[in-house]
Amino acid sequence: MTDVNTVLDQAGLTNEDVRAYVNEWFAITGAERVEVVSAADDARLIQVALENGDLLPAGEGSYFSRSYFKDTARAEERTIVATSDEADKGIYNNWKPSSEMKPKLIELMTGASKGKTMYVIPYLMAPAGSPLDKFAAGVELTDNVGVVLQMIRMARVGVDYINHLGNDFVRAVHVTGDLPNLGQGTPDDKRYFVTVADERTILHFGSSYGGNALLGKIAHGLRQGSYDGWKNGFLVEQFMLLGITDKETGKKYNICGGFPSASGKTNLAMTLSPDALGDRYYVEFYGDDIAWIWVDDNGVLRGFNPENGVFGVAKDTNEHTNPTAIDSIKPGLGVIYTNVAYNEKTQAVWWEGRGDKPTDLDGWLDWKGERIADRTAEQADENWAHPNSRFTTTIANVPNAAEQWDDPAGVEIHGIIFGGRTRDREPLIRAINDLAEGVYDGLTLGAEATFAADGLEGVLRYDPMSMRPFMSYGEGDYAQHWLNVVGKATNNPIFAHVNWFQRGEDGRFLWPGYRENLRPLLWLMQYRNGEVTGVETPVGVIPARDELNLEGLDEQTLADLDTILTIDTARWQQEMGYRKEHLEQFTNVPAEIWEAHNRVAKNLDA
């Protein structure tokens, strides 16, 4: 068996607290070997993964991985926040006492890595040297080389990030488990994904899929980070972050925002200027999934993306919907594809929405590894790729990545937007000047349910600030924390709500979306600067038609503008009843939030 301390010495890992933690878990998991990794080990570990079959080549310098077929997405019902204080319990965080969960996870993990290598991944979920450094460092222990390779793309990895921190690091343990024998989705399900938030410890057992196994990304970057932020005065949110430069005036704006699943967040984060406006406006990418936000000593609201890469959903990603993403996953960039369709003869990959489906089926395997040419007539319409299939690439591969994306000082936040998905009622954009109303709007963010799925056509599945799956403490306390943090900012960040998804009576989208979504954001910054006045409504300020830059839009879109710049009062009054029920679930909701709700309801009734 490996002499752990000798390996740690050779790797230059000098932090005594980290060394003790590695030794402890090496003994618990029963691993045979230990290896400390850094980003410099990527090429070597790629070869290890290719040799053992964890990866397959996907063309020049690209790679393909396939999950176990029951292990392809986050398992929210098995995801738990544990602490020693029941006051941390919320509606959405699946709270359990740590005294119950820690022994359970230790029992499951005991001996579960027998015969395997324990990889030690020292990582940082922040630009090095940032004021939030001490909250961003962690050490993930995993028995899965595929997880190591994904983490190298998604975080900054190396011992230099943790040697100086003493005990200020997140302890993150991932054990894959015997995937075919875990009872996924049955009463005997053995999977648990637990964040022991008040001990800054993450224990995940029973998966090798990204969101369950890349512990720096979701469990630390969102759940643990959010809890740390609550206790230490900063915000951690599932937000995209982009920058817009007006080349004519030299002004630069940075906008962050939360969007429920399938509401256009990644496409907006990676957007480019529309062709008609490209000579004047340049859009920069900071991040597509997470933002850490704080107020600096000068009262300026600032933020950064803590990640080092993009873990993007492949479905519907193509040259039209997201050309930036396509440029970020070109051959030779070290991209890892997960659960897409794969051709074992040509090494090509494909997913629904990528383009025309290949007609020559020779060599094509679906996401389960089953031969597509052997499908029966009844199986002909089944997906080739899993709907949650992914590509993993580094921010360095994103062609319009901002020069400041890794700046430890972060960037000034000028706007905070929430993007829901409704077919009516919600206009293209509405600006919100009042802090409490902005936070209230985020708490009541949601995406429209479908009648087939939920029996409630037009009713939202609420997803506060798009953090519903990542909440680590109570929603009322969360709202108060938002009021406290943003309330300290003196640089006038403005809130807004956007909706790219209004439909006409014939079912077609009334707004072209994608790159054209830059236009309402430009209006928002003009409104913030006092350059336009907009039109007051009971639910915020919407653009006057002549305030939007409409250059290059087609005649149909221009004709539809009157609809998507309209407030449907009757539908809004109906929505206010649903919002009231939603907020009444939560304890400790600040009086300012209820006052904002009542104010909006009264304005609508008037």
Side-chain angles (χ1 to χ4, degrees):
M1 182 175 288
T2 299
D3 181 340
V4 174
N5 288 321
T6 298
V7 174
L8 301 184
D9 288 341
Q10 292 170 345
L13 201 165
T14 60
N15 185 317
E16 291 298 333
D17 293 288
V18 174
R19 292 170 69 99
Y21 154 70
V22 173
N23 272 281
E24 176 189 4
W25 280 97
F26 185 73
I28 292 171
T29 62
E32 185 171 321
R33 298 167 297 276
V34 66
E35 182 176 335
V36 181
V37 300
S38 74
D41 294 311
D42 186 63
R44 177 179 61 81
L45 292 174
I46 287 280
Q47 290 306 310
V48 170
L50 289 170
E51 289 167 10
N52 67 21
D54 283 331
L55 290 183
L56 296 173
E60 178 197 349
S62 300
Y63 309 97
F64 166 75
S65 71
R66 182 183 292 120
S67 298
Y68 178 63
F69 75 98
K70 293 181 180 180
D71 185 33
T72 54
R74 282 197 320 269
E76 291 183 21
E77 73 283 359
R78 308 299 297 173
T79 302
I80 290 163
V81 171
T83 69
S84 57
D85 187 352
E86 192 170 357
D88 295 334
K89 183 176 182 178
I91 296 297
Y92 298 133
N93 67 351
N94 289 349
W95 181 89
K96 300 284 186 185
S98 52
S99 59
E100 172 189 335
M101 297 313 302
K102 284 177 61 183
K104 185 172 291 187
L105 268 294
I106 290 171
E107 180 182 359
L108 287 167
M109 291 175 167
T110 297
S113 298
K114 185 178 181 180
K116 295 184 177 182
T117 298
M118 172 188 278
Y119 294 98
V120 180
I121 312 172
Y123 67 84
L124 188 67
M125 298 301 295
S130 86
L132 303 181
D133 241 11
K134 65 178 288 187
F135 305 107
V139 179
E140 175 168 2
L141 310 179
T142 180
D143 56 12
N144 190 300
V145 69
V147 170
V148 178
L149 293 167
Q150 299 265 5
M151 277 290 288
I152 285 173
R153 283 149 183 76
M154 294 306 300
R156 302 150 186 85
V157 175
V159 296
D160 290 345
Y161 296 120
I162 53 93
N163 270 340
H164 65 290
L165 287 176
N167 205 29
D168 281 331
F169 69 97
V170 168
R171 290 156 166 78
V173 184
H174 164 253
V175 174
T176 304
D178 182 10
L179 294 176
N181 295 295
L182 295 179
Q184 293 94 336
T186 73
D188 297 322
D189 200 327
K190 295 180 175 61
R191 299 170 300 160
Y192 283 99
F193 311 115
V194 179
T195 299
V196 188
D198 56 353
E199 297 183 25
R200 307 193 76 225
T201 296
I202 299 164
L203 305 173
H204 280 208
F205 175 81
S207 174
S208 64
Y209 169 76
N212 302 327
L214 309 182
L215 303 190
K217 176 176 174 55
I218 296 297
H220 183 173
L222 283 173
R223 288 189 196 93
Q224 182 64 57
S226 177
Y227 193 91
D228 287 342
W230 177 38
K231 299 298 185 181
N232 295 279
F234 60 96
L235 294 169
V236 166
E237 305 298 328
Q238 193 195 198
F239 279 7
M240 64 93 214
L241 177 58
L242 61 76
I244 304 169
T245 298
D246 183 337
K247 292 184 279 189
E248 188 175 290
T249 65
K251 292 180 179 177
K252 169 79 181 288
Y253 305 103
N254 302 302
I255 298 173
C256 65
F259 295 68
S261 180
S263 295
K265 182 178 65 164
T266 296
N267 288 340
L268 180 63
M270 304 186 91
T271 196
L272 303 173
S273 184
D275 287 336
L277 307 183
D279 289 341
R280 179 167 179 181
Y281 298 102
Y282 177 66
V283 185
E284 292 178 301
F285 174 85
Y286 285 96
D288 72 315
D289 201 36
I290 307 177
W292 288 21
I293 300 166
W294 73 101
V295 176
D296 70 13
D297 293 340
N298 297 315
V300 175
L301 192 71
R302 307 189 71 83
F304 58 64
N305 167 26
E307 301 193 277
N308 187 60
V310 178
F311 186 63
V313 175
K315 186 177 184 295
D316 293 329
T317 299
N318 57 54
E319 285 82 353
H320 171 64
T321 62
N322 197 333
T324 304
I326 294 299
D327 284 343
S328 305
I329 56 177
K330 287 180 175 178
L333 297 180
V335 176
I336 299 175
Y337 297 98
T338 304
N339 296 337
V340 298
Y342 178 73
N343 192 304
E344 61 182 351
K345 294 186 176 180
T346 67
Q347 302 177 1
V349 295
W350 186 86
W351 54 83
E352 277 70 22
R354 178 65 186 93
D356 293 336
K357 186 177 288 187
T359 54
D360 182 357
L361 302 185
D362 186 35
W364 279 104
L365 306 176
D366 67 15
W367 65 271
K368 293 181 180 179
E370 296 173 351
R371 200 166 300 284
I372 292 171
D374 293 343
R375 286 186 169 186
T376 65
E378 291 77 17
Q379 296 170 317
D381 293 332
E382 292 180 7
N383 285 338
W384 286 23
H386 191 277
N388 194 39
S389 57
R390 298 280 177 159
F391 59 84
T392 312
T393 191
T394 63
I395 292 178
N397 291 337
V398 179
N400 66 329
E403 288 185 12
Q404 292 177 283
W405 79 266
D406 205 29
D407 188 334
V411 294
E412 180 176 357
I413 302 296
H414 301 92
I416 301 169
I417 62 174
F418 300 113
R421 187 176 75 248
T422 62
R423 66 181 55 229
D424 62 6
R425 180 181 61 74
E426 192 67 76
L428 179 65
I429 186 168
R430 50 186 177 86
I432 302 168
N433 292 300
D434 180 78
L435 170 61
E437 286 187 24
V439 175
Y440 162 73
D441 192 80
L443 292 173
T444 53
L445 173 65
E448 193 172 274
T450 62
F451 184 80
D454 300 277
L456 295 168
E457 190 167 15
V459 178
L460 300 188
R461 177 188 186 268
Y462 290 110
D463 186 351
M465 312 290 193
S466 78
M467 282 287 284
R468 179 170 172 154
F470 314 113
M471 287 284 192
S472 56
Y473 57 101
E475 291 79 6
D477 292 332
Y478 176 73
Q480 185 63 59
H481 186 52
W482 260 87
L483 294 172
N484 294 345
V485 174
V486 183
K488 293 191 300 182
T490 58
N491 63 320
N492 189 33
I494 190 159
F495 286 86
H497 194 110
V498 299
N499 177 32
W500 321 133
F501 300 97
Q502 274 219 43
R503 292 180 182 262
E505 293 182 0
D506 56 0
R508 65 185 172 80
F509 289 111
L510 301 182
W511 177 250
Y514 303 116
R515 292 166 67 177
E516 307 303 341
N517 294 339
L518 187 68
R519 298 174 190 265
L521 301 187
L522 295 173
W523 172 85
L524 180 66
M525 292 299 100
Q526 290 177 311
Y527 176 73
R528 175 182 177 272
N529 294 343
E531 298 164 16
V532 295
T533 58
V535 177
E536 291 277 356
T537 80
V539 293
V541 178
I542 63 176
R545 183 188 176 103
D546 61 1
E547 292 175 347
L548 282 171
N549 188 327
L550 306 175
E551 180 184 350
L553 288 176
D554 60 56
E555 291 300 320
Q556 183 63 67
T557 300
L558 295 174
D560 290 332
L561 272 177
D562 288 339
T563 301
I564 61 176
L565 295 178
T566 299
I567 300 297
D568 184 335
T569 301
R571 280 282 288 113
W572 266 99
Q573 289 172 322
Q574 178 190 43
E575 165 64 10
M576 297 305 288
Y578 297 138
R579 288 185 172 194
K580 183 172 184 287
E581 292 176 8
H582 166 64
L583 292 177
E584 283 175 339
Q585 304 174 85
F586 308 140
T587 58
N588 302 328
V589 174
E592 297 97 317
I593 299 301
W594 280 117
E595 289 164 6
H597 171 86
N598 294 334
R599 190 160 57 243
V600 172
K602 182 178 179 182
N603 290 342
L604 285 163
D605 289 342

